[in-house]
Amino acid sequence: MCGIVGILGREPVAGQLLDALRRLEYRGYDSAGVATLEHGVLTRRRAEGKLRNLETRLAREPLDGTIGIGHTRWATHGKPTESNAHPHATDRLAVVHNGIIENFRELREELEKKGAKFGSETDTEVVAHLVTEEMKQGRSPMEAVKAALPRLRGAFALAFLFTGEEDLLIGARKGSPLAVGYGNGEMYLGSDAIALAPFTETISYLEDGDWAVVTRKGVEIHDAGGRIVERAVVKSNARAFQVDKGNYKHFMAKEIHEQPEVVGHTLAHYLDMNAERVALPMTLPFDFKKIDRVSISACGTAYYAGLVAKYWFERFARLPVEIDVASEFRYREAPFQPGNLAVFVSQSGETADTLATLRYAREQKQHVISIVNVETSTIARESDVVMPTLAGPEIGVASTKAFTCQLATLACLAIYAGRLRGVLTAEDERNLVRALVGVPRLMAEALRLEPEIEILARDLSKARDVLYLGRGTAYPLALEGALKLKEISYIHAEGYAAGELKHGPIALIDENMPVVIVAPYDKSARREGVFEKTVSNMQEVAARGGRIILITDPKGAAEAAATSVTTLVLPDMATTVTPLVYAIPVQLIAYHTAVNMGTDVDQPRNLAKSVTVE
Ligand code: G6P
């Protein structure tokens, strides 16, 4: 997760760029850089490490351009060196980027064949060369960006500055956030309103797929289809608050939409994206080969993240997993073999039951890893190893982005264990990591289902009870879907393993009962037939008049076509990453149902964000 900024100013902008970068430093500080035009000529200053290094550099070698872009980096592809620092440039343009370009290898190969000379290991530099290549064909900067954007696969926000173009910046957003700021004869681009707060409070947030042509007179925004569109101009309150709702009605909506970004950030923390392998930034004080059982404990949504991880640890590392909600675990007096691993998952890091279980596991001489979103929390302080989820502050009481960041972290840990235990080959690991790298993009695609979900939520909000079904890793998602719905809409909901339908809940089904079925088509040979079994369960529901909402992929939708259902179709993806991506429609269903019912979405009745009593 990097921070980007662009300024079309009246005075030299280097100082303002630094000011904005200072406010974006929370997004990464591996290196920083700025580029401006000095009499039409692109000039860059970049420095490794924190922003103060760039400041020292600029004090020694000042820039006086009145247009410029800046970047503060959280390294994904390539080490945090000066040559990998943004902006990346050719003789025609400079670009800053936040996000991941997944197909950068193919693009780099293609561009190198055409003679492009690369100066960094980053995925970003392909963007600079790709647009340059288009310009060499005689295209204007705007046409060149327009032609290049559809070729980029991934989740990203970009800002371009062009040689000789003193009154032009181009920004683009897909998955990662980007805001346009309106000043008095000045215009801005920035990763968030906080970055632009010293200059302007008047902001437009680009929507996914938008790209913007910015001059000192204003902005022309194009959507993914190339149509010129208007985006709402809002007053940001970022000056007053470090954490604001941006363009969203609720924090929960904002946090759902932040997921491509924060999950990308979390993955970048635990993966070496160039080598396509897991690279934990911390040392584990035990040998995974000597562990013969993992215990996972947590509460609420964090518990469901742990339940997904059980499947992963067992599948990737052949490690048996014991999992329970924290309030039960500690009182069961479960036997622990000293020297095994206990994992605790908590957004707040303060949940009393989870903390008490952690202390119990410590007494039982377990190695303790905690996966927390608040690194200064008690659970973090009392653990042997802390694996932070980099979701940023989560304000909505119902957990959303923390959940998917917990999943991202747990997936990395399970894959790592699989490698060390000799279960996963380098090739297996590469395939799994590739699938994970694609998650931010897939999440951005999943968010596009929102208009459909808004419509079906109108109907759902009339229900008294809702059933959620899933198999495999979709089972914990069914549990999470039901939890989300009851937490914020107060509609009674139950999650069940699809196979358990016939053992009880089928008795509840009639024409008034909506049933949400979470069912990605499972491609793995070993679990062949799992999807068909879920389809049979679906038919059992349909035969009894139940209203079905099926969340699946194109293949699943085709196979389930016979039954009358409302289908939400997600892109095809590797089975491993389905829990991360399918979480999005599950969250959106709960969110829009609650909005329809007019409940207090961010602060639902009787609940608390951090539960510090047992
Ligand atoms: C509360 C929150 C849930 C959360 C659970 C566990 O019930 O409302 O959203 O999942 O606590 O909290 P933790 O901070 O430990 O993840």
Side-chain angles (χ1 to χ4, degrees), residues 241-321:
F241 301 105
Q242 276 291 306
V243 188
D244 77 331
K245 279 189 233 171
N247 225 8
Y248 297 94
K249 206 165 153 197
H250 298 103
F251 278 107
M252 185 177 176
K254 174 173 173 260
E255 288 158 5
I256 290 173
H257 282 264
E258 276 174 353
Q259 289 177 108
E261 168 85 349
V262 295
V263 167
H265 190 28
T266 302
L267 287 169
H269 195 60
Y270 295 111
L271 299 177
D272 179 336
M273 295 202 182
N274 275 330
E276 299 185 308
R277 69 202 302 261
V278 176
L280 300 188
M282 62 280 292
T283 332
L284 303 186
F286 58 84
D287 179 354
F288 253 118
K289 281 206 274 313
K290 298 204 176 114
I291 301 286
D292 49 38
R293 179 174 292 274
V294 178
S295 311
I296 306 179
S297 194
C299 301
T301 292
Y303 168 68
Y304 297 142
L307 215 49
V308 172
K310 172 185 166 77
Y311 290 78
W312 288 337
F313 275 108
E314 293 184 346
R315 201 171 287 165
F316 303 149
R318 310 299 306 145
L319 256 175
V321 174

Side-chain angles (χ1 to χ4, degrees), residues 14-15 18 34 45 51-63:
L18 278 178
V34 295
R45 301 283 183 266
L51 193 59
R52 60 173 174 269
N53 299 347
L54 178 66
E55 277 181 74
T56 315
R57 186 76 173 265
L58 275 166
R60 259 196 340 256
E61 305 163 55
L63 291 175

Side-chain angles (χ1 to χ4, degrees), residues 344-359 362 368-387 610-614:
F344 296 89
V345 190
S346 174
Q347 187 286 126
S348 62
E350 301 294 348
T351 302
D353 286 317
T354 311
L355 179 60
T357 312
L358 181 152
R359 288 176 179 158
R362 270 205 161 293
V368 172
I369 295 186
S370 64
I371 295 178
V372 294
N373 201 38
V374 182
E375 276 186 82
T376 49
S377 61
T378 315
I379 289 178
R381 284 201 307 273
E382 297 195 16
S383 302
D384 298 323
V385 178
V386 183
M387 295 182 73
S610 178
V611 183
T612 51
V613 289
E614 284 187 50

Side-chain angles (χ1 to χ4, degrees), residues 20-131:
L21 291 179
R22 212 167 286 124
R23 296 169 150 260
L24 287 171
E25 226 185 350
Y26 76 93
R27 302 170 71 90
Y29 36 77
D30 287 329
S31 65
V34 295
T36 64
L37 290 183
E38 309 273 286
H39 311 291
V41 180
L42 271 174
T43 320
R44 283 187 288 175
R45 301 283 183 266
R46 299 180 295 165
E48 200 177 306
K50 296 219 167 157
L51 193 59
R52 60 173 174 269
N53 299 347
L54 178 66
E55 277 181 74
T56 315
R57 186 76 173 265
L58 275 166
R60 259 196 340 256
E61 305 163 55
L63 291 175
D64 65 9
T66 57
I67 177 172
I69 54 177
H71 187 267
T72 177
R73 180 167 187 243
W74 179 279
T76 58
H77 297 69
K79 295 186 191 67
T81 56
E82 185 178 328
S83 59
N84 285 333
H86 300 218
H88 290 286
T90 64
D91 56 345
R92 304 284 185 110
L93 60 90
V95 64
V96 286
H97 164 219
N98 164 33
I100 296 166
I101 307 295
E102 282 171 52
N103 57 338
F104 85 101
R105 273 189 200 79
E106 296 102 273
L107 290 174
R108 182 166 174 149
E109 234 167 68
E110 172 193 319
L111 290 159
E112 274 173 340
K113 276 194 199 127
K114 289 186 180 154
K117 293 273 172 291
F118 280 77
S120 79
E121 304 161 295
T122 62
D123 52 339
T124 309
E125 203 181 349
V126 300
V127 183
H129 287 289
L130 197 63
V131 177

Side-chain angles (χ1 to χ4, degrees), residues 212-495:
V213 180
V214 193
T215 65
R216 285 181 182 80
K217 284 204 201 72
V219 61
E220 185 177 274
I221 303 177
H222 302 246
D223 69 8
R227 286 171 293 267
I228 295 180
V229 285
E230 294 289 325
R231 299 294 177 218
V233 179
V234 294
K235 285 273 169 221
S236 121
N237 56 359
R239 260 177 226 216
F241 301 105
Q242 276 291 306
V243 188
D244 77 331
K245 279 189 233 171
N247 225 8
Y248 297 94
K249 206 165 153 197
H250 298 103
F251 278 107
M252 185 177 176
K254 174 173 173 260
E255 288 158 5
I256 290 173
H257 282 264
E258 276 174 353
Q259 289 177 108
E261 168 85 349
V262 295
V263 167
H265 190 28
T266 302
L267 287 169
H269 195 60
Y270 295 111
L271 299 177
D272 179 336
M273 295 202 182
N274 275 330
E276 299 185 308
R277 69 202 302 261
V278 176
L280 300 188
M282 62 280 292
T283 332
L284 303 186
F286 58 84
D287 179 354
F288 253 118
K289 281 206 274 313
K290 298 204 176 114
I291 301 286
D292 49 38
R293 179 174 292 274
V294 178
S295 311
I296 306 179
S297 194
C299 301
T301 292
Y303 168 68
Y304 297 142
L307 215 49
V308 172
K310 172 185 166 77
Y311 290 78
W312 288 337
F313 275 108
E314 293 184 346
R315 201 171 287 165
F316 303 149
R318 310 299 306 145
L319 256 175
V321 174
E322 154 85 20
I323 173 159
D324 208 343
V325 288
S327 52
E328 287 301 315
F329 211 139
R330 59 182 289 230
Y331 294 113
R332 273 171 41 211
E333 298 177 41
F336 282 101
Q337 199 66 34
N340 269 338
L341 173 63
V343 178
F344 296 89
V345 190
S346 174
Q347 187 286 126
S348 62
E350 301 294 348
T351 302
D353 286 317
T354 311
L355 179 60
T357 312
L358 181 152
R359 288 176 179 158
Y360 176 68
R362 270 205 161 293
E363 282 165 23
Q364 306 294 315
K365 310 233 170 333
Q366 303 299 292
H367 298 292
V368 172
I369 295 186
S370 64
I371 295 178
V372 294
N373 201 38
V374 182
E375 276 186 82
T376 49
S377 61
T378 315
I379 289 178
R381 284 201 307 273
E382 297 195 16
S383 302
D384 298 323
V385 178
V386 183
M387 295 182 73
T389 49
L390 305 176
E394 191 181 64
I395 310 296
V397 164
S399 185
T400 52
K401 62 176 182 169
F403 174 66
T404 44
C405 287
Q406 286 159 355
L407 289 177
T409 309
L410 285 160
C412 294
L413 184 63
I415 295 168
Y416 182 70
R419 183 216 303 159
L420 294 190
R421 290 169 62 79
V423 181
L424 298 178
T425 62
E427 180 64 21
D428 294 333
E429 183 171 358
R430 199 170 309 123
N431 288 333
L432 288 166
V433 169
R434 254 183 218 163
L436 284 172
V437 170
V439 166
R441 168 183 49 87
L442 290 163
M443 286 181 143
E445 288 180 34
L447 285 166
R448 290 198 204 115
L449 292 174
E450 190 157 16
E452 275 174 71
I453 294 176
E454 237 179 298
I455 294 167
L456 74 86
R458 282 179 215 154
D459 209 27
L460 216 54
S461 57
K462 295 184 200 117
R464 204 191 56 181
D465 312 277
V466 180
L467 199 60
Y468 282 74
L469 302 176
R471 278 175 191 269
T473 50
Y475 163 47
L477 268 192
L479 295 170
E480 169 62 3
L483 175 65
K484 275 295 81 83
L485 190 71
K486 62 188 148 202
E487 274 182 314
I488 59 170
S489 74
Y490 317 142
I491 293 176
H492 170 243
E494 296 282 345

